[in-house]
Amino acid sequence: MPPTEQAATPRRAPIWDAPVRLFHWLLIALLAFSWWSGKHHDMDWHRRSGYTILALVIFRIYWGFFGGRTARFAQFVRGPRAAFAYARALASGRYVATPGHNPVGGWSVIVMLCSLAVMVCAGLFSVDVDGLESGPLADYVSFDQGRTAAAIHHLMFNLLLGLAALHVLAVLFYLVRLRRNLITPMIHGRRRAYEGETVEDLGASGWKAVLGIVIAGVCAYAISRGLHF
């Protein structure tokens, strides 16, 4: 007896590749550690954490072009019309399935990456009020510019806290209102397959991931040395 269509359909479908998931959880841990080390004035570890965040941002930008299907910017960055239409659907309580980031979530990724990039770059040029602690690129700017960079660095971190809070609220909205769990798929990378859905591999390449890690690591290391060799 031939298998039914329901039996032939896999119960789970891949949604997030391993690099995307590692980026997500490492970023959360590093932001928390950066806050802790900055609060306790442990600037050596604060800088190391910042360099690692820099490497993560560089890798995620790279992976947005060369990563798995759902990791690519071309897949989830949509125009304002699509984002507003999706937001209206959510406001009415309707869940619209997407293969990865939805149109609103896609823009939240862009905003988060841009905010991270500004925060880290500002930290690289920042100088403390006594001029005793500074970023590796502070030699390229004046003291006043370094102090401005420090203020921007602090401001952007607070902005990131707000973005993180909005992200948590969005996850809770999906869980409570729409009955959709977004947390566990970001852990194991798979979600429940929809009836009749054609399940496809994400197409994430291992050697491209390794190449991206090398590129991100080399860039972060060069910047941490103040671009002096």
PDB file of all heavy atoms in Angstrom, residues 33-60:
ATOM      1  N   PHE A  33      27.741  39.901  28.910  1.00  0.00           N
ATOM      2  CA  PHE A  33      29.077  39.945  29.500  1.00  0.00           C
ATOM      3  C   PHE A  33      29.712  41.322  29.322  1.00  0.00           C
ATOM      4  O   PHE A  33      30.412  41.810  30.224  1.00  0.00           O
ATOM      5  CB  PHE A  33      29.967  38.879  28.865  1.00  0.00           C
ATOM      6  CG  PHE A  33      31.349  38.822  29.454  1.00  0.00           C
ATOM      7  CD1 PHE A  33      31.575  38.240  30.694  1.00  0.00           C
ATOM      8  CD2 PHE A  33      32.429  39.377  28.777  1.00  0.00           C
ATOM      9  CE1 PHE A  33      32.841  38.200  31.246  1.00  0.00           C
ATOM     10  CE2 PHE A  33      33.701  39.341  29.319  1.00  0.00           C
ATOM     11  CZ  PHE A  33      33.907  38.752  30.563  1.00  0.00           C
ATOM     12  N   SER A  34      29.470  41.950  28.179  1.00  0.00           N
ATOM     13  CA  SER A  34      30.004  43.301  27.963  1.00  0.00           C
ATOM     14  C   SER A  34      29.424  44.278  28.977  1.00  0.00           C
ATOM     15  O   SER A  34      30.136  45.146  29.504  1.00  0.00           O
ATOM     16  CB  SER A  34      29.686  43.765  26.534  1.00  0.00           C
ATOM     17  OG  SER A  34      30.396  43.014  25.593  1.00  0.00           O
ATOM     18  N   TRP A  35      28.128  44.138  29.242  1.00  0.00           N
ATOM     19  CA  TRP A  35      27.510  45.005  30.254  1.00  0.00           C
ATOM     20  C   TRP A  35      28.154  44.747  31.615  1.00  0.00           C
ATOM     21  O   TRP A  35      28.491  45.688  32.342  1.00  0.00           O
ATOM     22  CB  TRP A  35      26.010  44.722  30.322  1.00  0.00           C
ATOM     23  CG  TRP A  35      25.357  45.419  31.485  1.00  0.00           C
ATOM     24  CD1 TRP A  35      24.901  46.705  31.517  1.00  0.00           C
ATOM     25  CD2 TRP A  35      25.120  44.870  32.791  1.00  0.00           C
ATOM     26  NE1 TRP A  35      24.388  46.992  32.755  1.00  0.00           N
ATOM     27  CE2 TRP A  35      24.515  45.883  33.563  1.00  0.00           C
ATOM     28  CE3 TRP A  35      25.350  43.625  33.368  1.00  0.00           C
ATOM     29  CZ2 TRP A  35      24.139  45.680  34.885  1.00  0.00           C
ATOM     30  CZ3 TRP A  35      24.985  43.425  34.692  1.00  0.00           C
ATOM     31  CH2 TRP A  35      24.382  44.442  35.430  1.00  0.00           C
ATOM     32  N   TRP A  36      28.323  43.469  31.986  1.00  0.00           N
ATOM     33  CA  TRP A  36      28.881  43.118  33.285  1.00  0.00           C
ATOM     34  C   TRP A  36      30.311  43.634  33.419  1.00  0.00           C
ATOM     35  O   TRP A  36      30.682  44.239  34.438  1.00  0.00           O
ATOM     36  CB  TRP A  36      28.853  41.610  33.472  1.00  0.00           C
ATOM     37  CG  TRP A  36      29.428  41.159  34.784  1.00  0.00           C
ATOM     38  CD1 TRP A  36      28.779  41.020  35.969  1.00  0.00           C
ATOM     39  CD2 TRP A  36      30.797  40.804  35.038  1.00  0.00           C
ATOM     40  NE1 TRP A  36      29.650  40.602  36.948  1.00  0.00           N
ATOM     41  CE2 TRP A  36      30.896  40.469  36.404  1.00  0.00           C
ATOM     42  CE3 TRP A  36      31.934  40.744  34.238  1.00  0.00           C
ATOM     43  CZ2 TRP A  36      32.102  40.076  36.989  1.00  0.00           C
ATOM     44  CZ3 TRP A  36      33.138  40.351  34.811  1.00  0.00           C
ATOM     45  CH2 TRP A  36      33.218  40.018  36.170  1.00  0.00           C
ATOM     46  N   SER A  37      31.138  43.405  32.399  1.00  0.00           N
ATOM     47  CA  SER A  37      32.544  43.825  32.480  1.00  0.00           C
ATOM     48  C   SER A  37      32.666  45.337  32.495  1.00  0.00           C
ATOM     49  O   SER A  37      33.531  45.894  33.190  1.00  0.00           O
ATOM     50  CB  SER A  37      33.344  43.231  31.316  1.00  0.00           C
ATOM     51  OG  SER A  37      32.774  43.591  30.068  1.00  0.00           O
ATOM     52  N   GLY A  38      31.806  46.033  31.745  1.00  0.00           N
ATOM     53  CA  GLY A  38      31.830  47.495  31.771  1.00  0.00           C
ATOM     54  C   GLY A  38      31.375  48.035  33.109  1.00  0.00           C
ATOM     55  O   GLY A  38      31.936  49.010  33.630  1.00  0.00           O
ATOM     56  N   LYS A  39      30.364  47.385  33.700  1.00  0.00           N
ATOM     57  CA  LYS A  39      29.847  47.826  34.999  1.00  0.00           C
ATOM     58  C   LYS A  39      30.900  47.665  36.084  1.00  0.00           C
ATOM     59  O   LYS A  39      30.963  48.468  37.032  1.00  0.00           O
ATOM     60  CB  LYS A  39      28.604  46.990  35.345  1.00  0.00           C
ATOM     61  CG  LYS A  39      27.712  47.595  36.394  1.00  0.00           C
ATOM     62  CD  LYS A  39      26.921  48.766  35.831  1.00  0.00           C
ATOM     63  CE  LYS A  39      25.890  49.248  36.833  1.00  0.00           C
ATOM     64  NZ  LYS A  39      25.162  50.441  36.325  1.00  0.00           N
ATOM     65  N   HIS A  40      31.733  46.633  35.973  1.00  0.00           N
ATOM     66  CA  HIS A  40      32.766  46.374  36.970  1.00  0.00           C
ATOM     67  C   HIS A  40      34.129  46.933  36.559  1.00  0.00           C
ATOM     68  O   HIS A  40      35.140  46.617  37.184  1.00  0.00           O
ATOM     69  CB  HIS A  40      32.876  44.867  37.227  1.00  0.00           C
ATOM     70  CG  HIS A  40      31.694  44.296  37.951  1.00  0.00           C
ATOM     71  ND1 HIS A  40      30.495  44.007  37.319  1.00  0.00           N
ATOM     72  CD2 HIS A  40      31.513  43.977  39.261  1.00  0.00           C
ATOM     73  CE1 HIS A  40      29.643  43.525  38.207  1.00  0.00           C
ATOM     74  NE2 HIS A  40      30.226  43.498  39.389  1.00  0.00           N
ATOM     75  N   HIS A  41      34.130  47.742  35.513  1.00  0.00           N
ATOM     76  CA  HIS A  41      35.351  48.432  35.058  1.00  0.00           C
ATOM     77  C   HIS A  41      36.489  47.466  34.741  1.00  0.00           C
ATOM     78  O   HIS A  41      37.661  47.803  34.912  1.00  0.00           O
ATOM     79  CB  HIS A  41      35.810  49.457  36.110  1.00  0.00           C
ATOM     80  CG  HIS A  41      34.746  50.437  36.490  1.00  0.00           C
ATOM     81  ND1 HIS A  41      34.326  51.444  35.644  1.00  0.00           N
ATOM     82  CD2 HIS A  41      33.979  50.544  37.620  1.00  0.00           C
ATOM     83  CE1 HIS A  41      33.371  52.140  36.233  1.00  0.00           C
ATOM     84  NE2 HIS A  41      33.133  51.621  37.426  1.00  0.00           N
ATOM     85  N   ASP A  42      36.124  46.279  34.268  1.00  0.00           N
ATOM     86  CA  ASP A  42      37.129  45.319  33.810  1.00  0.00           C
ATOM     87  C   ASP A  42      37.291  45.520  32.309  1.00  0.00           C
ATOM     88  O   ASP A  42      36.736  44.784  31.491  1.00  0.00           O
ATOM     89  CB  ASP A  42      36.687  43.884  34.123  1.00  0.00           C
ATOM     90  CG  ASP A  42      37.803  42.881  33.941  1.00  0.00           C
ATOM     91  OD1 ASP A  42      38.775  43.201  33.221  1.00  0.00           O
ATOM     92  OD2 ASP A  42      37.712  41.773  34.500  1.00  0.00           O
ATOM     93  N   MET A  43      38.077  46.539  31.956  1.00  0.00           N
ATOM     94  CA  MET A  43      38.123  46.973  30.572  1.00  0.00           C
ATOM     95  C   MET A  43      38.868  45.998  29.659  1.00  0.00           C
ATOM     96  O   MET A  43      38.614  45.964  28.459  1.00  0.00           O
ATOM     97  CB  MET A  43      38.752  48.362  30.483  1.00  0.00           C
ATOM     98  CG  MET A  43      37.979  49.426  31.258  1.00  0.00           C
ATOM     99  SD  MET A  43      36.185  49.387  30.920  1.00  0.00           S
ATOM    100  CE  MET A  43      36.148  49.812  29.189  1.00  0.00           C
ATOM    101  N   ASP A  44      39.775  45.220  30.208  1.00  0.00           N
ATOM    102  CA  ASP A  44      40.464  44.231  29.364  1.00  0.00           C
ATOM    103  C   ASP A  44      39.460  43.228  28.807  1.00  0.00           C
ATOM    104  O   ASP A  44      39.447  42.945  27.597  1.00  0.00           O
ATOM    105  CB  ASP A  44      41.552  43.511  30.160  1.00  0.00           C
ATOM    106  CG  ASP A  44      42.757  44.389  30.423  1.00  0.00           C
ATOM    107  OD1 ASP A  44      42.940  45.377  29.678  1.00  0.00           O
ATOM    108  OD2 ASP A  44      43.506  44.105  31.386  1.00  0.00           O
ATOM    109  N   TRP A  45      38.627  42.684  29.689  1.00  0.00           N
ATOM    110  CA  TRP A  45      37.629  41.733  29.233  1.00  0.00           C
ATOM    111  C   TRP A  45      36.519  42.421  28.444  1.00  0.00           C
ATOM    112  O   TRP A  45      35.936  41.818  27.539  1.00  0.00           O
ATOM    113  CB  TRP A  45      37.048  40.965  30.413  1.00  0.00           C
ATOM    114  CG  TRP A  45      37.937  39.862  30.867  1.00  0.00           C
ATOM    115  CD1 TRP A  45      38.699  39.811  31.991  1.00  0.00           C
ATOM    116  CD2 TRP A  45      38.181  38.636  30.165  1.00  0.00           C
ATOM    117  NE1 TRP A  45      39.402  38.632  32.051  1.00  0.00           N
ATOM    118  CE2 TRP A  45      39.103  37.881  30.949  1.00  0.00           C
ATOM    119  CE3 TRP A  45      37.710  38.090  28.968  1.00  0.00           C
ATOM    120  CZ2 TRP A  45      39.550  36.631  30.547  1.00  0.00           C
ATOM    121  CZ3 TRP A  45      38.165  36.846  28.570  1.00  0.00           C
ATOM    122  CH2 TRP A  45      39.070  36.124  29.357  1.00  0.00           C
ATOM    123  N   HIS A  46      36.219  43.668  28.770  1.00  0.00           N
ATOM    124  CA  HIS A  46      35.221  44.426  28.026  1.00  0.00           C
ATOM    125  C   HIS A  46      35.667  44.594  26.576  1.00  0.00           C
ATOM    126  O   HIS A  46      34.863  44.429  25.646  1.00  0.00           O
ATOM    127  CB  HIS A  46      35.008  45.794  28.679  1.00  0.00           C
ATOM    128  CG  HIS A  46      33.882  46.573  28.071  1.00  0.00           C
ATOM    129  ND1 HIS A  46      32.559  46.291  28.338  1.00  0.00           N
ATOM    130  CD2 HIS A  46      33.883  47.626  27.204  1.00  0.00           C
ATOM    131  CE1 HIS A  46      31.795  47.141  27.672  1.00  0.00           C
ATOM    132  NE2 HIS A  46      32.566  47.955  26.962  1.00  0.00           N
ATOM    133  N   ARG A  47      36.944  44.898  26.378  1.00  0.00           N
ATOM    134  CA  ARG A  47      37.456  45.037  25.013  1.00  0.00           C
ATOM    135  C   ARG A  47      37.441  43.695  24.273  1.00  0.00           C
ATOM    136  O   ARG A  47      37.072  43.628  23.104  1.00  0.00           O
ATOM    137  CB  ARG A  47      38.871  45.616  25.048  1.00  0.00           C
ATOM    138  CG  ARG A  47      38.906  47.134  25.204  1.00  0.00           C
ATOM    139  CD  ARG A  47      40.316  47.663  24.997  1.00  0.00           C
ATOM    140  NE  ARG A  47      41.183  47.279  26.104  1.00  0.00           N
ATOM    141  CZ  ARG A  47      41.399  48.048  27.175  1.00  0.00           C
ATOM    142  NH1 ARG A  47      40.788  49.220  27.273  1.00  0.00           N
ATOM    143  NH2 ARG A  47      42.203  47.648  28.138  1.00  0.00           N
ATOM    144  N   ARG A  48      37.859  42.625  24.973  1.00  0.00           N
ATOM    145  CA  ARG A  48      37.849  41.308  24.322  1.00  0.00           C
ATOM    146  C   ARG A  48      36.437  40.923  23.886  1.00  0.00           C
ATOM    147  O   ARG A  48      36.228  40.382  22.794  1.00  0.00           O
ATOM    148  CB  ARG A  48      38.416  40.251  25.274  1.00  0.00           C
ATOM    149  CG  ARG A  48      39.895  40.416  25.580  1.00  0.00           C
ATOM    150  CD  ARG A  48      40.415  39.255  26.419  1.00  0.00           C
ATOM    151  NE  ARG A  48      41.788  39.475  26.837  1.00  0.00           N
ATOM    152  CZ  ARG A  48      42.176  39.773  28.072  1.00  0.00           C
ATOM    153  NH1 ARG A  48      41.266  39.881  29.026  1.00  0.00           N
ATOM    154  NH2 ARG A  48      43.451  39.950  28.358  1.00  0.00           N
ATOM    155  N   SER A  49      35.473  41.200  24.750  1.00  0.00           N
ATOM    156  CA  SER A  49      34.088  40.912  24.404  1.00  0.00           C
ATOM    157  C   SER A  49      33.650  41.747  23.203  1.00  0.00           C
ATOM    158  O   SER A  49      32.968  41.250  22.293  1.00  0.00           O
ATOM    159  CB  SER A  49      33.181  41.194  25.601  1.00  0.00           C
ATOM    160  OG  SER A  49      31.829  40.910  25.294  1.00  0.00           O
ATOM    161  N   GLY A  50      34.054  43.011  23.183  1.00  0.00           N
ATOM    162  CA  GLY A  50      33.710  43.882  22.066  1.00  0.00           C
ATOM    163  C   GLY A  50      34.319  43.414  20.752  1.00  0.00           C
ATOM    164  O   GLY A  50      33.671  43.457  19.700  1.00  0.00           O
ATOM    165  N   TYR A  51      35.570  42.947  20.798  1.00  0.00           N
ATOM    166  CA  TYR A  51      36.202  42.440  19.578  1.00  0.00           C
ATOM    167  C   TYR A  51      35.473  41.199  19.068  1.00  0.00           C
ATOM    168  O   TYR A  51      35.341  41.002  17.851  1.00  0.00           O
ATOM    169  CB  TYR A  51      37.666  42.086  19.845  1.00  0.00           C
ATOM    170  CG  TYR A  51      38.523  43.244  20.297  1.00  0.00           C
ATOM    171  CD1 TYR A  51      39.606  43.046  21.160  1.00  0.00           C
ATOM    172  CD2 TYR A  51      38.251  44.545  19.878  1.00  0.00           C
ATOM    173  CE1 TYR A  51      40.391  44.105  21.586  1.00  0.00           C
ATOM    174  CE2 TYR A  51      39.023  45.612  20.309  1.00  0.00           C
ATOM    175  CZ  TYR A  51      40.095  45.378  21.165  1.00  0.00           C
ATOM    176  OH  TYR A  51      40.867  46.433  21.591  1.00  0.00           O
ATOM    177  N   THR A  52      35.006  40.370  19.993  1.00  0.00           N
ATOM    178  CA  THR A  52      34.276  39.170  19.582  1.00  0.00           C
ATOM    179  C   THR A  52      32.930  39.545  18.973  1.00  0.00           C
ATOM    180  O   THR A  52      32.506  38.940  17.975  1.00  0.00           O
ATOM    181  CB  THR A  52      34.069  38.230  20.785  1.00  0.00           C
ATOM    182  OG1 THR A  52      35.300  38.017  21.455  1.00  0.00           O
ATOM    183  CG2 THR A  52      33.525  36.889  20.318  1.00  0.00           C
ATOM    184  N   ILE A  53      32.264  40.547  19.544  1.00  0.00           N
ATOM    185  CA  ILE A  53      31.012  41.028  18.960  1.00  0.00           C
ATOM    186  C   ILE A  53      31.273  41.598  17.575  1.00  0.00           C
ATOM    187  O   ILE A  53      30.496  41.372  16.631  1.00  0.00           O
ATOM    188  CB  ILE A  53      30.347  42.072  19.870  1.00  0.00           C
ATOM    189  CG1 ILE A  53      29.872  41.427  21.172  1.00  0.00           C
ATOM    190  CG2 ILE A  53      29.170  42.744  19.159  1.00  0.00           C
ATOM    191  CD1 ILE A  53      29.324  42.411  22.189  1.00  0.00           C
ATOM    192  N   LEU A  54      32.384  42.321  17.421  1.00  0.00           N
ATOM    193  CA  LEU A  54      32.757  42.844  16.113  1.00  0.00           C
ATOM    194  C   LEU A  54      32.908  41.707  15.106  1.00  0.00           C
ATOM    195  O   LEU A  54      32.404  41.785  13.979  1.00  0.00           O
ATOM    196  CB  LEU A  54      34.055  43.634  16.223  1.00  0.00           C
ATOM    197  CG  LEU A  54      34.697  44.095  14.901  1.00  0.00           C
ATOM    198  CD1 LEU A  54      33.763  45.046  14.153  1.00  0.00           C
ATOM    199  CD2 LEU A  54      36.043  44.757  15.165  1.00  0.00           C
ATOM    200  N   ALA A  55      33.591  40.634  15.504  1.00  0.00           N
ATOM    201  CA  ALA A  55      33.765  39.483  14.618  1.00  0.00           C
ATOM    202  C   ALA A  55      32.409  38.868  14.272  1.00  0.00           C
ATOM    203  O   ALA A  55      32.174  38.467  13.120  1.00  0.00           O
ATOM    204  CB  ALA A  55      34.676  38.446  15.276  1.00  0.00           C
ATOM    205  N   LEU A  56      31.503  38.789  15.250  1.00  0.00           N
ATOM    206  CA  LEU A  56      30.173  38.237  14.994  1.00  0.00           C
ATOM    207  C   LEU A  56      29.414  39.082  13.972  1.00  0.00           C
ATOM    208  O   LEU A  56      28.754  38.542  13.069  1.00  0.00           O
ATOM    209  CB  LEU A  56      29.376  38.170  16.290  1.00  0.00           C
ATOM    210  CG  LEU A  56      29.678  37.033  17.265  1.00  0.00           C
ATOM    211  CD1 LEU A  56      28.796  37.161  18.503  1.00  0.00           C
ATOM    212  CD2 LEU A  56      29.461  35.675  16.608  1.00  0.00           C
ATOM    213  N   VAL A  57      29.484  40.405  14.107  1.00  0.00           N
ATOM    214  CA  VAL A  57      28.770  41.287  13.182  1.00  0.00           C
ATOM    215  C   VAL A  57      29.334  41.138  11.770  1.00  0.00           C
ATOM    216  O   VAL A  57      28.580  41.056  10.789  1.00  0.00           O
ATOM    217  CB  VAL A  57      28.844  42.746  13.657  1.00  0.00           C
ATOM    218  CG1 VAL A  57      28.284  43.694  12.600  1.00  0.00           C
ATOM    219  CG2 VAL A  57      28.083  42.919  14.965  1.00  0.00           C
ATOM    220  N   ILE A  58      30.661  41.118  11.673  1.00  0.00           N
ATOM    221  CA  ILE A  58      31.283  40.941  10.352  1.00  0.00           C
ATOM    222  C   ILE A  58      30.860  39.615   9.742  1.00  0.00           C
ATOM    223  O   ILE A  58      30.509  39.540   8.551  1.00  0.00           O
ATOM    224  CB  ILE A  58      32.820  41.013  10.468  1.00  0.00           C
ATOM    225  CG1 ILE A  58      33.252  42.423  10.888  1.00  0.00           C
ATOM    226  CG2 ILE A  58      33.492  40.639   9.135  1.00  0.00           C
ATOM    227  CD1 ILE A  58      34.723  42.533  11.216  1.00  0.00           C
ATOM    228  N   PHE A  59      30.863  38.551  10.550  1.00  0.00           N
ATOM    229  CA  PHE A  59      30.457  37.247  10.041  1.00  0.00           C
ATOM    230  C   PHE A  59      28.998  37.260   9.596  1.00  0.00           C
ATOM    231  O   PHE A  59      28.657  36.710   8.547  1.00  0.00           O
ATOM    232  CB  PHE A  59      30.668  36.158  11.092  1.00  0.00           C
ATOM    233  CG  PHE A  59      30.160  34.816  10.628  1.00  0.00           C
ATOM    234  CD1 PHE A  59      30.943  34.013   9.824  1.00  0.00           C
ATOM    235  CD2 PHE A  59      28.882  34.385  10.989  1.00  0.00           C
ATOM    236  CE1 PHE A  59      30.460  32.788   9.369  1.00  0.00           C
ATOM    237  CE2 PHE A  59      28.407  33.166  10.542  1.00  0.00           C
ATOM    238  CZ  PHE A  59      29.194  32.362   9.732  1.00  0.00           C
ATOM    239  N   ARG A  60      28.125  37.887  10.409  1.00  0.00           N
ATOM    240  CA  ARG A  60      26.693  37.863  10.062  1.00  0.00           C
ATOM    241  C   ARG A  60      26.427  38.627   8.775  1.00  0.00           C
ATOM    242  O   ARG A  60      25.544  38.241   7.978  1.00  0.00           O
ATOM    243  CB  ARG A  60      25.859  38.451  11.207  1.00  0.00           C
ATOM    244  CG  ARG A  60      24.340  38.339  10.967  1.00  0.00           C
ATOM    245  CD  ARG A  60      23.936  36.888  10.845  1.00  0.00           C
ATOM    246  NE  ARG A  60      22.516  36.719  10.512  1.00  0.00           N
ATOM    247  CZ  ARG A  60      22.039  36.651   9.281  1.00  0.00           C
ATOM    248  NH1 ARG A  60      22.869  36.766   8.239  1.00  0.00           N
ATOM    249  NH2 ARG A  60      20.750  36.463   9.054  1.00  0.00           N
TER     250      ARG A  60
END
